Amino acid sequence: MILTLSGLMTGMGIDMEMEITFPGGARVDAQMGNMVIPTNQDGTAPTPFGLFLASIGTCAGIYVHGFCQHRGLSTDGIKIVQRLHMNPVTRMIAEVELDIIVPPEFPEKYHEALIRAADQCAVKKHLETPPSFNVVTRVAAVV
């Protein structure tokens, strides 16, 4: 069984398609080009929600890394701590906090710029302006 998700990446004019497959057990894989991203509910791979949450911090990290690299600044000792604050009523995430930790020798003049770099994260931007979802069921063509 294959579930195909497709959508338009706005501003880029690129149609993106992923193939989601069910290889067995509780495993669900996403095929993106030549990469397979495994997920599982049994602890042998991240859960889909775990991957989603990790994508927020790692996306911000890509931008922080790029900022430093572009300026010849070392990323040694830099890390991002992501904290999730839950709404006790809805049991949904109400706030995501990203704490960029820099070593003492990191130039203070770049502290605010690191925040602006992390704010460019595409995952964060998509959460701020979420896409619409269109989920359908189709019968596979008989070959």
Side-chain angles (χ1 to χ4, degrees):
M1 176 184 271
I2 296 174
L3 170 67
T4 301
L5 303 175
S6 61
L8 181 67
M9 291 185 64
T10 54
M12 300 176 106
I14 300 171
D15 283 318
M16 176 190 284
E17 185 171 276
M18 288 183 224
E19 190 170 279
I20 311 304
T21 58
F22 308 94
R27 188 166 160 182
V28 178
D29 290 352
Q31 177 84 33
M32 292 179 54
N34 63 354
M35 293 184 294
V36 174
I37 302 170
T39 68
N40 211 323
Q41 299 290 330
D42 68 3
T44 60
T47 65
F49 192 63
L51 277 178
F52 165 71
L53 295 175
S55 75
I56 299 167
T58 56
C59 181
I62 295 266
Y63 284 88
V64 167
H65 184 270
F67 175 89
C68 291
Q69 202 171 38
H70 182 73
R71 285 159 185 78
L73 300 168
S74 173
T75 55
D76 291 347
I78 298 177
K79 66 180 177 179
I80 298 174
V81 177
Q82 178 173 300
R83 294 181 190 88
L84 308 170
H85 302 279
M86 307 297 282
N87 177 317
V89 176
T90 64
R91 301 182 54 83
M92 303 271 294
I93 296 170
E95 181 183 8
V96 177
E97 178 184 342
L98 298 175
D99 192 2
I100 305 169
I101 311 295
V102 296
E105 64 275 8
F106 191 85
E108 187 175 338
K109 70 179 182 177
Y110 292 125
H111 288 195
E112 291 297 318
L114 283 181
I115 294 168
R116 288 192 301 275
D119 276 342
Q120 298 305 305
C121 166
V123 175
K124 177 182 174 286
K125 288 184 178 213
H126 277 79
L127 287 171
E128 292 171 335
T129 309
S132 62
F133 286 79
N134 179 26
V135 181
V136 299
T137 299
R138 299 181 199 272
V139 177
V142 179
V143 200

